[in-house]
Amino acid sequence: MKFTKMHGCGNDYIYVNLFEENIESPSELSIAISDRHFGIGGDGLITIGPSDCADFRMRIYNADGSEAEMCGNGIRCVAKYVYDHGLTEKTEITVETGAGVKNLQLTVTDGKVTLVCVDMGEPILEAEKIPVIAKTSPVIGEMITAGDQEWKMTCVSMGNPHAVIFVDDVDGFDLDHFGPLFENHKVFPKRTNTEFVKVHSRSEVSMRVWERGSAETWACGTGACASVMACILNGLTEDEVLIHLRGGDLNIRYDRGSNHVFMTGPATEVFSGEYTI
């Protein structure tokens, strides 16, 4: 099986072109190839194939084999892959995801995609649609107990569930301890991604993320969008924010007129190879 390793701000996946390859069990394959000691190594598997309603279809499988609805860093890499590998000549494309069809604008330099702007759609704030079991809807600054501590959480779905927690220290935060407690908390029927965010100014924040099914990743596009929405809902930032992730920076902009969130960031191809199934 031919594959390409790519990353968006350090959020790395193994990409397989289903126009050329066939995968019988992508969940099992994702577990095997994501292993950083015995496999290729990555946060999961993303397949690129044909769609009945868009230019392309992407499917995302986490490192534990579970399927995710959407991946912001992953979809930017899909855009780079299909353009750089000659599957399209268009610089505006549509991609079908588990969270609906997304529109992407590609910035091309010397024949290669360097930046991608993704219309991530409308943020979902209704508790039952995220889903989260909560006393209020929307869930803004609601108390939750995890690890014998109380935290204020704000919940947003960008096609997948996110719980955003504001902290004073991102770098020193014990993510390995608290991340799983939030991911598997009883108030999240489908588990959750959790972002721990420090606000620096009205236009700049830092974030670390514990991703559902993949543990800590170096970036999360949907999580960055959810974090900025949480900042706006809590009155902490303006509508356009530079967000610092462990693997790089993303620009997130909320457009009040359309109620859509736009994410702009890089996509990088690392290497290609063949994996024996």
Side-chain angles (χ1 to χ4, degrees):
M1 178 193 76
K2 294 181 180 179
F3 70 88
T4 299
K5 178 76 176 288
M6 306 182 77
H7 76 85
C9 295
N11 190 194
D12 59 337
Y13 287 87
I14 298 106
Y15 293 77
V16 176
N17 178 357
L18 296 187
F19 291 96
E20 299 178 353
E21 304 289 338
N22 180 54
I23 300 174
E24 292 186 1
S25 180
S27 293
E28 292 182 8
L29 179 63
S30 183
I31 294 171
I33 64 177
S34 297
D35 192 292
R36 297 186 186 275
H37 298 287
F38 299 101
I40 299 167
D43 291 326
L45 164 71
I46 291 180
T47 61
I48 305 169
S51 169
D52 294 330
C53 58
D55 294 319
F56 302 96
R57 182 188 184 193
M58 70 179 286
R59 296 186 71 177
I60 310 114
Y61 301 89
N62 296 316
D64 68 352
S66 60
E67 187 170 0
E69 302 90 343
M70 176 58 185
C71 177
N73 292 307
I75 199 171
R76 295 199 315 277
C77 290
V78 167
K80 179 174 176 61
Y81 182 95
V82 298
Y83 186 91
D84 289 5
H85 288 255
L87 276 67
T88 185
E89 295 180 351
K90 299 193 296 184
T91 56
E92 293 187 13
I93 65 171
T94 55
V95 177
E96 179 189 355
T97 75
V101 175
K102 305 300 180 186
N103 296 288
L104 295 81
Q105 292 186 334
L106 288 56
T107 299
V108 178
T109 305
D110 296 328
K112 300 290 185 180
V113 171
T114 52
L115 282 177
V116 181
C117 178
V118 185
D119 181 349
M120 299 288 284
E122 297 185 2
I124 299 168
L125 305 180
E126 296 93 334
E128 64 179 15
K129 293 182 180 180
I130 291 174
V132 54
I133 301 169
K135 296 177 181 178
T136 62
S137 182
V139 183
I140 303 173
E142 182 165 313
M143 300 304 297
I144 182 173
T145 301
D148 296 324
Q149 294 186 41
E150 286 197 333
W151 312 80
K152 288 184 179 180
M153 70 172 179
T154 297
C155 295
V156 179
S157 172
M158 293 303 306
N160 53 357
H162 294 272
V164 180
I165 311 293
F166 295 104
V167 296
D168 294 328
D169 178 15
V170 170
D171 294 332
F173 188 79
D174 191 354
L175 194 63
D176 288 338
H177 174 67
F178 289 107
L181 299 179
F182 280 95
E183 176 185 356
N184 300 291
H185 199 286
K186 61 183 180 181
V187 303
F188 302 110
K190 295 185 177 181
R191 298 187 292 165
T192 192
N193 305 282
T194 312
E195 287 74 36
F196 299 90
V197 177
K198 178 179 175 59
V199 177
H200 300 292
S201 70
R202 299 285 298 177
S203 61
E204 186 177 6
V205 305
S206 293
M207 180 194 98
R208 287 175 68 191
V209 57
W210 183 271
E211 286 205 53
R212 177 184 57 171
S214 293
E216 181 176 15
T217 60
W218 279 41
C220 177
T222 56
C225 294
S227 294
V228 171
M229 282 308 306
C231 289
I232 293 169
L233 291 169
N234 285 276
L236 300 174
T237 66
E238 304 298 336
D239 293 346
E240 186 166 354
V241 176
L242 178 66
I243 187 161
H244 303 294
L245 310 160
R246 289 196 70 183
D249 296 342
L250 292 174
N251 180 272
I252 309 297
R253 178 175 62 86
Y254 173 57
D255 181 76
R256 292 179 183 265
S258 64
N259 191 32
H260 280 217
V261 181
F262 294 84
M263 171 193 64
T264 302
T268 303
E269 181 172 327
V270 184
F271 62 88
S272 294
E274 293 190 17
Y275 178 84
T276 302
I277 299 178

